[in-house]
Each structure stands twice: as structure tokens, then as C-alpha cells.
Amino acid sequence: MEHSNTIDLCVKTSKLLPTKKIPEFLNNIVSDFITQEGKKELHKIIASPLCINTSDSIGSFITSEFNHDGDSYRSPWSNEYFPTTEGHKLLPNELRELEVRLNKLVKLYTKLYYGEQAISSTYIWEQGDAISSGFNCAVLIKNNIDKKKGIINSSLDSINVINVKFIKERDKTTERIKAVYKIYTTMLYEVNFGKFADCGFSGNVSKLGEESAYPSTYLDYDTHCENIGKIVENMENYLRSSLDEIYMKKTDEIIAKMRNTFIIGRQNNIQRENLKSFFNEFEKKVPSKKIDMEEDILN
């Protein structure tokens, strides 16, 4: 296990990097001073921009740590690995059926929320030897924005990892199954402005959530699809709202207050007064020593 200080340092460094630089940081720079085991640990902690694979003739899919085996990646559409090699582990039939249903649901959701250009992939993997032990699910969405309203080569990636556990609840006469859905959602965004080649911003926001339901059986497909879809939608709506209200509007507000521009030949007095007020408040909070210039000259 890698020393925790090294892991913490890498995580902190990744938060200072532009989103598009994170894969290079993890694959190249980190390899110079961290073990392979530590590198795997970082890939689980640090969210990287999603990549699209077009090898499957049925449809494009997203490659990630959730669907790879060696150097190959499994497509959720055909259930085959690309590049094609033998010996890969496949899902049990009952979980594969749930994965197929969820992919259809998430694909429709993606088109409605993100548009026709967005790509989605949903992956399921076992949590134990039996379905009663629960399962894990990853709902991934890649939304590339090439040219729209003055921005180019921009993207919004959504990574939803859901852990599903089953609990048996008993009372005097009945026994029922409780499904607990714990979700960790991360949204990575990158915005680049067309008129300014070196101007843009990027980052990520994350949130934990939890919901529960009572399926009729461990493989109650309808209940699982409904609740996984609902919890993903709620988390993404919350994070999109955070991006808009906190990051976008706050950035616009800060930039507006910093400006002292001229409009049609006359100075922007509103922005000038805002700046003046800001610096006046700043000077009050910073202790200063007054110098008597006349006395200083005489001495």
C-alpha cells in the first residue's frame, strides 16, 4: 500500500490541474515516483475525463476502470471486449439482463437531458458470490460540445457509481428485502472559448447520496431500474444547479466587479464605484502606518 502522504499529495495536485491534463498526470508523471499499486488506488480516487470507444458496430461506448480487463474494454451493447481476446470474465445472466435494461433507460435519459451528441454507458459488476450480497453499478455520460455559443472543444462528463446492498427486515409475521442505494456522483466540466485560444476554465463537483426501496425479489428489475434512474437524475440535477448557481454565476460576478471599462467613450461609473468600494473596505481591514511626510523631510 502506497504511503498515505504520497497519495494525498497526488490528489491535491490533481485538483489544481485543468481537467484535460489529469490523464497525462496519472499515466506519465505519477509513474515516475509511485508504485503500480498506488497508481491503481489513484485511478479509483481521482476522476478522469471519460473516453469514447467506437469499435463496437452496435454503438459507441465509454471506456473506464469499470469495464476493462487487461488492455480490453467491454461494450455494454454487445457484451464483447475490444480489442477482442479470450479469457475475459462476463456477467452472470441475471445481472446482464439488468444491465441491458438500465442501458436502454439511461440512453433515453441522456438524449433528453444532454442531446443527441451525448454518449452513455452503464456497467454492472458483482459484489459477492451471490446476488443477495448486492451489486455495483456505474452510469457514465460523456457530453462533448464542439461548437456552441462561442465555445469550442468543451465537455461535461458525469460519473455515477452506485453501490446496492440488500438487508433482510423481519417482524413478527413477515420478512421483506430492503435495497439500499448509495451513490457517489462526480461531474467534470471543461469550457474553452473560441475567440480566446488560451482562455477557459475547468474543474469538478461531487456529491454523495443514499436512497432505499423494497423490491419484491433480489432481481426485481423494474424496482432497480426505477430507483437507480431516480437517484442518478436527482444527483445530476443538484450538481448541474450547483455548477450554474455557484461556479458560473459567481465567476461572472467576480469578473464584472474587477472590470473598469469604457463604454461608448465614457467610463463605466458603476464598475468604478464597485472597485472603489472594494478597495476602501480592503484598506480598513489592513493595518497601515501613517507617515508624516513633512516631518520625514525635515529629519
Side-chain angles (χ1 to χ4, degrees):
M1 180 64 68
E2 202 72 27
H3 195 277
S4 60
N5 288 340
T6 306
I7 296 291
D8 291 342
L9 179 61
C10 290
V11 172
K12 289 178 181 178
T13 303
S14 69
K15 292 181 179 180
L16 302 175
L17 296 172
T19 302
K20 61 185 176 182
K21 293 291 184 181
I22 292 177
E24 180 184 353
F25 171 72
L26 290 174
N27 295 328
N28 299 327
I29 301 174
V30 167
S31 300
D32 294 335
F33 62 91
I34 203 169
T35 64
Q36 191 65 27
E37 198 63 33
K39 189 175 177 181
K40 289 180 181 179
E41 185 71 19
L42 281 174
H43 275 282
K44 295 179 181 178
I45 299 172
I46 301 173
S48 298
L50 300 172
C51 297
I52 297 174
N53 190 313
T54 59
S55 301
D56 191 350
S57 59
I58 298 178
S60 299
F61 63 95
I62 294 172
T63 60
S64 70
E65 62 177 302
F66 307 110
N67 66 318
H68 81 95
D69 187 358
D71 295 327
S72 298
Y73 292 89
R74 183 173 66 88
S75 167
W77 311 116
S78 64
N79 203 30
E80 295 180 2
Y81 280 87
F82 300 90
T84 303
T85 54
E86 295 182 356
H88 295 296
K89 184 179 179 182
L90 296 175
L91 272 177
N93 291 336
E94 61 268 18
L95 285 179
R96 173 59 184 160
E97 175 62 24
L98 177 59
E99 186 181 75
V100 169
R101 295 191 183 201
L102 278 170
N103 269 287
K104 291 179 180 178
L105 177 67
V106 173
K107 184 176 182 179
L108 177 60
Y109 165 86
T110 301
K111 299 306 178 186
L112 291 173
Y113 270 90
Y114 293 91
E116 293 293 330
Q117 78 287 345
I119 300 295
S120 68
S121 293
T122 300
Y123 301 104
I124 291 178
W125 64 99
E126 307 102 307
Q127 191 166 283
D129 296 331
I131 185 63
S132 59
S133 302
F135 60 90
N136 300 295
C137 176
V139 177
L140 312 176
I141 298 172
K142 178 76 176 180
N143 184 28
N144 285 325
I145 308 168
D146 293 330
K147 289 184 179 180
K148 188 176 182 181
K149 293 183 180 179
I151 61 175
I152 60 169
N153 300 326
S154 302
S155 63
L156 177 64
D157 294 357
S158 178
I159 304 171
N160 303 272
V161 182
I162 304 106
N163 170 258
V164 183
K165 285 188 176 179
F166 298 114
I167 301 171
K168 282 188 176 181
E169 292 186 347
R170 296 183 178 90
D171 57 25
K172 293 181 180 180
T173 58
T174 60
E175 178 181 281
R176 60 179 181 173
I177 302 168
K178 180 180 180 180
V180 180
Y181 305 87
K182 292 185 178 180
I183 185 172
Y184 183 67
T185 299
T186 300
M187 278 191 166
L188 298 95
Y189 61 92
E190 180 179 351
V191 180
N192 297 300
F193 301 104
K195 293 183 179 180
F196 310 97
D198 298 325
C199 184
F201 57 93
S202 63
N204 65 78
V205 289
S206 301
K207 184 174 173 59
L208 284 164
E210 182 177 322
E211 295 288 345
S212 60
Y214 291 92
S216 58
T217 65
Y218 293 118
L219 287 172
D220 186 344
Y221 296 134
D222 292 338
T223 298
H224 291 320
C225 287
E226 179 183 352
N227 285 280
I228 289 174
K230 187 185 298 182
I231 196 173
V232 168
E233 182 180 21
N234 290 340
M235 292 294 284
E236 289 200 343
N237 283 339
Y238 178 88
L239 290 180
R240 277 194 294 265
S241 177
S242 297
L243 281 173
D244 182 48
E245 295 293 332
I246 298 175
Y247 292 86
M248 306 300 182
K249 289 184 179 179
K250 194 64 179 177
T251 300
D252 182 64
E253 182 183 338
I254 292 171
I255 292 173
K257 287 184 177 180
M258 291 174 62
R259 291 193 197 135
N260 189 13
T261 60
F262 287 81
I263 301 176
I264 316 179
R266 53 191 170 81
Q267 194 170 9
N268 187 339
N269 292 320
I270 295 175
Q271 300 298 354
R272 182 182 62 180
E273 290 302 318
N274 286 342
L275 275 177
K276 186 177 179 181
S277 174
F278 170 78
F279 284 112
N280 285 341
E281 290 297 320
F282 180 76
E283 288 173 0
K284 289 178 184 178
K285 295 178 182 178
V286 179
S288 59
K289 181 180 178 181
K290 292 184 178 180
I291 301 176
D292 190 331
M293 296 299 293
E294 184 176 352
E295 183 180 344
D296 187 54
I297 292 172
L298 293 173
N299 291 337

